[in-house]
Amino acid sequence: MAILSILKYPDARLGTKAKPVTEFNDELKQLVADMAETMYKAPGVGLAATQVDRHIRLVVIDVTEEKNDLKVLINPEIISSSEEKKTWEEGCLSLPGIYDKVDRPSEVVVKAVDLEGKEFTLACDGLLAVCVQHEIDHLEGHVFIDHLSRLKQDRICKKIKKMRLAEKKNQEG
Ligand code: NI
């Protein structure tokens, strides 16, 4: 297993639309194992293949505190969303230090296939519903701040630039 490096916003590769998975082989299993290890280590509750620069439709999620319920969603598709929306404060491993409120449907049903290529559906609410939608956004080339107003996005971009400059200064010592 290996820890993969995570692309950081505004890396243009985060804007890539991922392609469906067609081959269910050992290479895919290895990628899933590496992505899960990377997510747990970060730590985070979800990771999309896009974030580790692999542009295929694959996400791993575990919203449990015990970190013992890994969900692997391959070629995921939201097949129904509740009318009711809920606001959660979201963060992202590709935007460290950035958190903001996003409105999304509070419940969704997602259809996906597992590592064997077998189809299943998953009814999601709470944090799992947020996470599934957030990760599927990554596969479309979107990050959570795309849901915010222009003004807020501009503020966040300025904040990121400042953070990067400070990091660089620290490294230069
Ligand atoms: Ni994310």
Side-chain angles (χ1 to χ4, degrees):
M1 300 226 280
I3 300 289
L4 306 169
S5 73
I6 298 174
L7 298 178
K8 300 291 187 309
Y9 185 86
D11 192 306
R13 289 170 288 181
L14 287 168
T16 311
K17 187 175 156 87
K19 294 199 166 69
V21 172
T22 52
E23 287 194 58
F24 297 84
N25 51 21
D26 286 347
E27 198 191 325
L28 184 70
K29 286 194 179 107
Q30 185 62 52
L31 178 60
V32 166
D34 291 345
M35 280 175 57
E37 195 184 1
T38 304
M39 172 184 76
Y40 287 128
K41 178 88 191 297
V45 293
L47 187 67
T50 308
Q51 293 176 275
V52 294
D53 203 20
R54 293 292 305 270
H55 302 286
I56 56 170
R57 304 189 79 80
L58 159 66
V59 307
V60 294
I61 293 174
D62 190 343
V63 296
T64 63
E65 255 173 59
E66 301 78 19
K67 302 291 165 211
N68 60 3
D69 187 20
L70 180 68
K71 297 196 187 305
V72 178
L73 306 182
I74 299 169
N75 300 338
E77 204 183 312
I78 289 169
I79 54 174
S80 76
S81 307
S82 63
E83 297 259 323
E84 196 203 327
K85 301 213 171 176
K86 201 165 177 199
T87 308
W88 285 75
E89 183 153 88
E90 295 189 25
C92 180
L93 296 176
S94 293
L95 290 109
I98 306 292
Y99 300 92
D100 219 314
K101 292 188 175 84
V102 180
D103 279 340
R104 298 184 189 267
S106 58
E107 292 172 29
V108 296
V109 177
V110 64
K111 182 177 87 173
V113 295
D114 64 16
L115 269 171
E116 315 301 327
K118 205 173 137 226
E119 196 177 292
F120 64 95
T121 59
L122 187 66
C124 311
D125 61 8
L127 179 57
L128 181 60
V130 177
C131 199
V132 161
Q133 295 174 80
H134 176 121
E135 300 312 328
I136 291 176
D137 274 358
H138 277 301
L139 303 181
E140 294 300 319
H142 297 304
V143 290
F144 79 93
I145 65 167
D146 294 351
H147 290 275
L148 307 176
S149 67
R150 246 300 128 208
L151 183 69
K152 272 192 169 180
Q153 290 186 39
D154 287 347
R155 274 193 206 136
I156 288 169
C157 285
K158 274 185 200 144
K159 190 177 169 187
I160 290 172
K161 268 186 202 154
K162 261 192 200 161
M163 280 161 47
R164 292 290 137 77
L165 268 177
E167 269 168 32
K168 222 176 143 192
K169 268 191 191 155
N170 274 340
Q171 279 164 9
E172 284 164 1

